[in-house]
Each structure stands twice: as structure tokens, then as C-alpha cells.
Amino acid sequence: MFSSSEVLFIFQWCVVLFALGIIFFPFTNSVFEQFVDRGYLFSKVIALGAISYLLLVLNILHILQFGFTPIILVAWLYVLVIFFVFKKKVNKKNIPIKLIIFEEIIFIIGIFIWSFIRAHEPSINGLEKFMDFGFVNSIMRTTYQPAVDMWFPPYPINYYYFGHLITAALTTLSLLPSNITYNLMIATLFSFCFSLSFSLGINLISIKKLTRKSFVGGILTAALVALAGNLHTIYSFFKAYNVDNPVPFWNLKFLPSSFPNDYWYPNATRFIPFTIHEFPIYSFVVSDLHGHVTDIIFVLLSIALLYKFFLQKTINKASLALFSLLLAIMYMTNVWDALLYMTLFFIMIVIKNLSDLEFNFKKIKKVNRTEVVTKIFKPIVVVFLLFVVFSLPFNFFFKPFASGVGILCAPTFLTNIGKIGPFLFEANHCQKSTWWELLTLYGFFYFFVFSFLVFILKIKNKKNIGAEDLFIIGLITLATLLIIIPEFVYVKDIYPQHYRANTMFKLVYQSFILLSLSSGYIIVRISSKTKNLLFHLPTVILLGLVFIYPYFAVKAYYGDLKSYSGIDGTVYLQTRYPDDYVAIEWINRNIKNRPVMVEAQGDSYTDYERISANTGLPTILGWTVHEWLWRGTYDIPAPRISEVKDIYESHDINLTKSLLKKYDAKYVYVGGLEHQKYPDLFEDKFKKIGTIVFQHNQTRIYKLAI
């Protein structure tokens, strides 16, 4: 169980989040005045986005440095603005205190629950955790943004790092070390995912008041978004298959007696060969602090804002500006999401205008088509232009690393041409998903989608089709498009066989969220109107299948929750790399700012770059494939591989000095992995050009005097 210090850490973290939410609640209360809970939980998300965004802008303009005091100043600036603008708009009588207290409780409980789960394997190690942790630590060492890429100095991070900036700001504000807050941030994102989905669920079902039906719907919606898997779990009842060559489950031997048949939870996210199709609970289990995970909170906020727009007769300019800023934040956190939710905005504007006009064939000639087009496209243009303005501070330093849009299964005459504008026609690029693969991944959702469409079509009085129903149709429309698109096109990156993996990953991750929200609403909507077993029995079976996924995932990743290690994400170093652990502790205490420290260069997804990742200090070159992706070509990072090797192995002191000066290196790290990577390591030269400032067993840090 938690130690007293860990409880204090979590409490300290929660107090900061609570304070930020309280600061912005008057604003949120005004924005979501139609919501039964006044959008209380979204006030925390708005606070994180608004404070971090203004801090980023002021950092880039060199008006404020990054640090505790500047963050406090930015927060106080918002306090003053919100107090004077919104103090008279808060009607205390209309604030649902009991519901707000309940939401705050489930939010805090969510943080404690996932912190407890993480405490059984808290290591900030494996997959891409080094990258995420390194970004956070690098940002915290940065005086002015953008932060230096700790794996490719002196260049700035060329990645959508806003989520890492938020984590760094919260870490600084909470006065906690980053090896603790990394895991607390993962727990917070899980809790946000659940509690924000609960808020959306209750408001979709009954926006006027909290009812038993809306409460149940809120819990179900929250569970679907934050905890559900897909129907791949059905394979746990059958003989295992070759993961490189999946087959329909009905072609396998049914073995219910040996459930779960060595079921391996990651297969649900890699079921279609050469692709990635993850979903939130998988992200929380593996706990990479990636942009697509951090952006969940802004995705849910954007959906809430769009629902607010959908309920309003007109959308004011302030609301459009807020949504534009949110799109910019999503763009800086996970680039794809800005485009996707701008598309959803367009879909919702179209549906809203057509439904408001009560379009039918008899009246179509009486409709002022110019007015309709203006109502649809004017807000789109305004939002897009404001989005461009808000994203300028980030875009000034960011270079997209996509190199075109590939067309799947292009005919030969086009593959001979190769490229027309941004469109690529590559030979032997014809990956397609089978119908049974798509059914396995999305069949759960589309049972409810088709049930809902039948339900809507059977409603005789169309006045009984509410705004909520139309809004859900909008969510389903975008989600379906996002599943279809990777079957026809892909965005070109550096990966040869997995050329559509990232495209599918980014798109269907959002499909899962949209369809989960929709399914929660649909189940309650239909269940309250019918007792038909043809709906209820499949619903129970399908829910059972998707809700056993977290059991498999948590059990496997966290070892049945039998070994408690605490929430310190670097404790694994004490046993795996004890000398490095002591060195990292010393570096974080004694080396300020961000001088370059040379360490062994290694491949992606390895333990190399453990010093730069755990301290934020830049090194000459980090994970090569990652830098290859971020820089657009292998030719950019490649020369540094041999240069780092020469620094460690060359007997030519002048060559070593010139390379160290080239990258303005101030320290050289010599530890176990350096000796392992460079068997001919010539350490004596470092004694001639520097002094030992740290030594623990055979691990040494040299401070250079060149």
C-alpha cells in the first residue's frame, strides 16, 4: 500500500489540480451554463491548457522564464481577469454542489486507483518512456521555450510537445520531482478520461437535471471510454493463433475450459498486420506519456464544446475563439487531432443548420441557399484563421515530418509516375483490412450504431428526435470516416512495412473515443424505450467481452498486482543500473541549466540515453530512428553516430577535442553501457582534458576544460 510520503505526494498533486480548477470554474460555469454540472471538471482542463499556453507564448517571447514564479504569475493573471469578468455571472443558487462534490471525489479516487496500479510497475522504462520523460525533464531545464531536443542539441524539440510542457508545468507547480509526477500524470490522465466522460455522459442523456438514468449512463459512458477494450478478447476462448498471421476466431478450436488460453493483451492493438489500433485503456496500462494520451483531456473538452454549440441557436465570437485556441492546443499536443476535430466541427455545423431549417423536399426551393452556405462556412473560416494565429508560436519552430499522402493499391500507370503534388503512388503498397478484422475491432460499436439508426428510423414523430440524437449521429459520422480512411490512404513517414500504421493509429484512436461516447448514450437511449431481448441480450454479452480487457492487461503488465514498488519511476535503476542511479541523482542535484553531456549512443527502444532521459541534459545523439523520423532524413542524425564513437574510442586527443567543441560538450559520462557500446573506450584522454567531478565504483563523470 501507499507509504505516508506517497499519500502526501498524491495529496499535494491533487491540491494543485483542485486550485487550478477553482480558479477557472467561474469561466467554465459561464461557458457550460446549460450543463447539469456546469462543466465543473472541465475547468481543470481549461486551466491546464490556458496557463500552459500563455506560459509557452511568454517563454518564446522571452518575457517570462520557465519556472515556479512565472507559472504563479500567469495563474494570478488569470485569477484577476476571471474575477473581474465573471464574478457577477456566477449564480451560487444554480451551482449543483452535491454533483460537483461527487465528480471531485471520483476524480481524486481515479488518481489514487491508477497510482496504486502503477505502483506495481512504476518504471519509466520500456517502449517510448525515455523519450517522454526526457522531454519533460528537458523542458524543466529550459529557461525559454522551445526546449532543446535532449537527443539532438542545439536544435529544439521537433515534436508535438505541449502535453510534456503541461506535465513539466504541473511538476514545477507541485514542487514534486519528475520521477514521481510522471506516474501521477498518467494516473491523472486516466482519472480525467473517466470523470470527463462521466460528465459528457450525464449531459448527453439529460442536460436539464441529473436523473437516475443519466447517472447510470454517465458511469457506463465513462467505463466504455476509459476501461473498455474491443472484441478481440473473444480469442481468449479459443486456441491461440500466430500473431503474425491472424485468422477469424471461428477458424480456431473453441477451448472455453482453458480460458484465457494464453491471451496476450497487446494483440488487440496489433491485430491487423503492420498496423496500430490502440485505445485509451491500453495507453494507461503501458503508460507512455505520449501526445495522443495527454490530448484525451482536450479531445473530451472539444467534444463538450461542440455539444454546447449544437444546443445553442447561435455561436458567439468568444466561443469560436475558445474553440480555435483549443484546436491549437490539440495541434501542439497531438497534431492530427486538430484536423480531426475541425472536421467534426464542420460536420456538426452542417447537421445543425440542416436540422434547424427542417430540410425536406417540399421546402427546399424556399430555402435561401446562400444563407445556408454562409451559416455553415463562416464559422469554419473564422475558426481556421484563429487556429492558425494561435498555433503560430509552436509552428515557428516545428517542421512537419510527413512527406506526402500515399494512395493504397494505386494502379500501375500511377506507380510509374510516383508522385503528383502531395499524392504518392508507391508500388507494392496495398495493405487492406479484411471485413472480419474490422468486425473484431469495431463490431461492438456498430451493433449499437445500427441499432440506433433503426431506432431513429422507427420514430414516427420526428419531433421526438432530439438534438442529442443528432449530435450522436455527428460523432458516429466522423468515427466511421476515420475507420474507412486508412483503407484508402496513408500519410507517408519513414517506416517501410508499417507505412499505414501511424495513420491508422492516430485516426482510429479517436474513433474509439467517439464510438465509446456514442455507445454509452445509445445503450441508455434504447434501453429506456424497449425491453426487446434481441437488443438487451447481445448488449450484455458484448459489454462482458470488452470489459474483461482491463483484467487481462492490468494482470499481465502489473504482475497480478502482487509486487508493490511505489510510485517512484526511477526505482528500477537501483537494481538494473545502480551506479547510474547514483549518478543521475547527483546530476539532478548538482548540474544546473542544460550543458551537453556526452553518453553512449544507442538504438531506439533500448536503455541507451538513460542519462539524458532521466536528467533532461542534452547529449550529442539519442535514439537514432526517432531522430530520423523527427528530422525527416537519416542523413541528418547519421554522422553523429561515428562522432560519438570517436569521442569515446579515438586515441587522437585533438580529434576528440574538436568533436567536443563542435557540440559544445561540457561533460563526458563513462559508465557500464559506455564500456559495453564502445569496447575500445580510451578513457585516459578524458583525464587530460577534464577532471572527475563524480565517481561511483567504475562510473565517472568528467567535466571538460576545453
Side-chain angles (χ1 to χ4, degrees):
M1 290 298 292
F2 294 121
S3 67
S4 57
S5 60
E6 288 173 333
V7 172
L8 182 61
F9 290 155
I10 299 173
F11 175 76
Q12 196 169 326
W13 180 261
C14 288
V15 166
V16 171
L17 288 167
F18 177 77
L20 293 177
I22 291 299
I23 290 172
F24 278 80
F25 181 61
F27 171 74
T28 310
N29 179 68
S30 177
V31 172
F32 295 107
E33 60 182 350
Q34 292 171 291
F35 280 28
V36 66
D37 60 353
R38 301 298 189 274
Y40 169 72
L41 288 170
F42 290 104
S43 63
K44 302 177 191 290
V45 181
I46 293 174
L48 293 176
I51 290 173
S52 299
Y53 179 80
L54 184 55
L55 181 67
L56 174 66
V57 172
L58 295 177
N59 259 200
I60 288 175
L61 295 176
H62 288 213
I63 295 172
L64 283 180
Q65 297 183 357
F66 185 90
F68 179 82
T69 302
I71 296 172
I72 292 293
L73 289 174
V74 170
W76 269 108
L77 178 61
Y78 280 114
V79 169
L80 295 174
V81 172
I82 290 171
F83 177 77
F84 285 110
V85 175
F86 295 97
K87 66 176 181 178
K88 294 181 180 180
K89 295 185 179 182
V90 178
N91 187 343
K92 295 180 181 179
K93 293 181 180 180
N94 294 328
I95 296 176
I97 299 298
K98 291 183 180 179
L99 179 55
I100 284 174
I101 291 173
F102 175 78
E103 289 186 336
E104 186 66 38
I105 288 172
I106 64 170
F107 176 69
I108 293 172
I109 288 175
I111 293 176
F112 269 91
I113 287 175
W114 207 261
S115 294
F116 176 76
I117 291 173
R118 279 295 296 159
H120 289 80
E121 208 327 52
S123 306
I124 308 173
N125 180 255
L127 298 178
E128 294 184 298
K129 294 178 183 63
F130 269 13
M131 183 201 92
D132 294 316
F133 195 40
F135 281 173
V136 172
N137 287 323
S138 180
I139 290 169
M140 290 178 65
R141 283 184 175 272
T142 300
T143 305
Y144 297 110
Q145 304 301 325
V148 168
D149 182 348
M150 73 283 175
W151 290 343
F152 205 74
Y155 296 95
I157 295 172
N158 192 51
Y159 193 76
Y160 16 97
Y161 60 83
F162 192 79
H164 304 92
L165 176 71
I166 291 173
T167 305
L170 267 178
T171 299
T172 303
L173 200 55
S174 67
L175 302 176
L176 295 172
S178 59
N179 56 315
I180 298 293
T181 63
Y182 180 98
N183 285 321
L184 290 183
M185 190 64 183
I186 292 292
T188 302
L189 293 172
F190 165 79
S191 188
F192 266 132
C193 186
F194 186 92
S195 57
L196 295 177
S197 298
F198 170 81
S199 175
L200 270 169
I202 62 173
N203 284 291
L204 281 167
I205 294 165
S206 179
I207 200 164
K208 294 180 180 179
K209 64 177 181 178
L210 181 66
T211 63
R212 181 179 295 180
K213 183 173 73 172
S214 64
F215 181 83
V216 171
I219 294 294
L220 177 60
T221 302
L224 285 171
V225 178
L227 294 170
N230 53 38
L231 291 183
H232 184 269
T233 54
I234 201 169
Y235 281 87
S236 63
F237 295 94
F238 293 82
K239 183 180 179 181
Y241 66 91
N242 180 355
V243 296
D244 295 325
N245 187 28
V247 295
F249 67 85
W250 54 82
N251 288 348
L252 300 171
K253 187 176 181 180
F254 185 48
L255 298 172
S257 60
S258 56
F259 172 86
N261 293 298
D262 298 321
Y263 183 81
W264 186 231
Y265 74 95
N267 291 345
T269 69
R270 306 294 192 277
F271 184 58
I272 301 174
F274 306 111
T275 69
I276 303 171
H277 34 78
E278 296 179 8
F279 37 83
I281 185 60
Y282 176 82
S283 300
F284 299 132
V285 168
V286 300
S287 296
D288 281 7
L289 194 57
H290 257 26
H292 67 279
V293 184
T294 310
D295 207 39
I296 289 173
I297 63 177
F298 298 115
V299 162
L300 294 173
L301 173 58
S302 71
I303 294 170
L305 271 175
L306 289 174
Y307 184 43
K308 161 195 158 68
F309 295 163
F310 207 79
L311 296 175
Q312 291 177 319
K313 290 184 177 180
T314 57
I315 306 173
N316 59 44
K317 294 179 181 178
S319 294
L320 290 177
L322 175 61
F323 186 68
S324 303
L325 175 60
L326 181 56
L327 286 176
I329 287 173
M330 286 196 287
Y331 174 75
M332 296 185 292
T333 307
N334 193 40
V335 168
W336 291 71
D337 293 348
L339 174 62
L340 303 188
Y341 286 92
M342 193 176 294
T343 303
L344 183 59
F345 179 58
F346 174 75
I347 291 171
M348 292 303 180
I349 292 292
V350 170
I351 292 175
K352 177 177 172 56
N353 278 280
L354 295 183
S355 62
D356 287 348
L357 287 167
E358 296 181 350
F359 244 149
N360 61 55
F361 290 111
K362 292 181 180 179
K363 295 182 179 180
I364 194 166
K365 293 181 181 179
K366 298 179 182 180
V367 173
N368 186 329
R369 296 181 183 182
T370 303
E371 181 182 349
V372 174
V373 171
T374 301
K375 283 185 176 181
I376 290 174
F377 285 98
K378 184 178 179 181
I380 295 292
V381 172
V382 170
V383 164
F384 178 76
L385 292 176
L386 288 175
F387 158 73
V388 171
V389 172
F390 285 132
S391 57
L392 273 177
F394 175 81
N395 263 336
F396 188 79
F397 300 96
F398 177 68
K399 181 182 179 182
F401 29 87
S403 57
V405 178
I407 307 299
L408 287 167
C409 303
T412 304
F413 77 92
L414 287 176
T415 59
N416 290 335
I417 296 173
K419 186 175 183 180
I420 301 175
F423 297 104
L424 305 172
F425 307 99
E426 299 180 284
N428 302 315
H429 280 54
C430 196
Q431 293 174 2
K432 292 280 187 176
S433 308
T434 64
W435 67 268
W436 53 267
E437 288 170 335
L438 294 173
L439 180 67
T440 301
L441 298 182
Y442 310 112
F444 169 84
F445 298 119
Y446 281 93
F447 170 77
F448 299 111
V449 168
F450 290 128
S451 298
F452 182 61
L453 294 178
V454 171
F455 175 80
I456 291 296
L457 290 172
K458 284 185 175 181
I459 295 177
K460 295 180 180 179
N461 186 350
K462 299 307 176 184
K463 291 182 180 179
N464 292 329
I465 300 176
E468 300 85 356
D469 296 321
L470 296 175
F471 184 78
I472 292 299
I473 289 173
L475 298 186
I476 292 169
T477 301
L478 178 61
T480 304
L481 285 173
L482 299 184
I483 293 170
I484 293 172
I485 288 171
E487 302 303 318
F488 295 93
V489 299
Y490 59 93
V491 176
K492 177 71 173 177
D493 52 31
I494 66 170
Y495 302 108
Q497 280 190 306
H498 297 75
Y499 47 83
R500 70 172 182 146
N502 272 330
T503 302
M504 181 178 286
F505 173 30
K506 299 295 186 179
L507 299 190
V508 302
Y509 198 89
Q510 298 308 315
S511 288
F512 190 97
I513 293 173
L514 295 169
L515 291 170
S516 294
L517 290 169
S518 301
S519 297
Y521 173 83
I522 292 168
I523 291 171
V524 174
R525 178 81 161 98
I526 297 178
S527 296
S528 64
K529 297 294 182 180
T530 181
K531 295 182 180 179
N532 191 334
L533 279 177
L534 292 177
F535 176 77
H536 289 285
L537 185 58
T539 296
V540 172
I541 295 171
L542 291 172
L543 287 174
L545 285 171
V546 298
F547 281 137
I548 60 173
Y549 183 83
Y551 166 77
F552 292 135
V554 172
K555 178 182 173 68
Y557 195 93
Y558 295 98
D560 292 331
L561 300 180
K562 290 181 178 178
S563 180
Y564 186 90
S565 301
I567 59 175
D568 182 346
T570 56
V571 70
Y572 76 96
L573 289 168
Q574 294 181 12
T575 52
R576 192 180 304 180
Y577 303 111
D579 293 347
D580 291 336
Y581 177 80
V582 176
I584 288 166
E585 291 270 290
W586 182 86
I587 291 169
N588 285 330
R589 284 195 309 268
N590 294 281
I591 298 181
K592 306 302 178 185
N593 302 318
R594 51 184 183 190
V596 175
M597 178 177 287
V598 186
E599 66 174 314
Q601 184 278 326
D603 294 330
S604 295
Y605 307 105
T606 66
D607 284 350
Y608 288 102
E609 278 62 66
R610 79 281 191 205
I611 305 303
S612 49
N614 283 279
T615 66
L617 290 182
T619 194
I620 292 175
L621 179 62
W623 286 359
T624 313
V625 173
H626 281 68
E627 289 299 338
W628 176 7
L629 174 66
W630 301 336
R631 305 299 158 185
T633 171
Y634 181 74
D635 295 337
I636 293 177
R640 297 194 181 196
I641 298 174
S642 59
E643 290 176 329
V644 175
K645 186 176 187 293
D646 285 338
I647 287 173
Y648 280 105
E649 291 190 338
S650 175
H651 285 246
D652 186 337
I653 292 182
N654 289 329
L655 173 62
T656 303
K657 282 184 176 181
S658 66
L659 290 172
L660 292 170
K661 286 181 179 179
K662 178 179 178 179
Y663 295 107
D664 195 27
K666 302 299 182 185
Y667 296 90
V668 173
Y669 189 93
V670 179
L673 287 184
E674 281 66 37
H675 283 283
Q676 178 180 310
K677 179 75 175 184
Y678 307 110
D680 297 325
L681 193 152
F682 181 52
E683 189 174 348
D684 287 346
K685 62 182 173 182
F686 299 131
K687 297 174 183 178
K688 298 177 181 179
I689 59 177
T691 56
I692 297 174
V693 291
F694 170 86
Q695 180 168 358
H696 186 266
N697 296 325
Q698 300 305 307
T699 296
R700 285 171 285 274
I701 298 175
Y702 292 87
K703 185 174 183 179
L704 303 173
I706 54 175

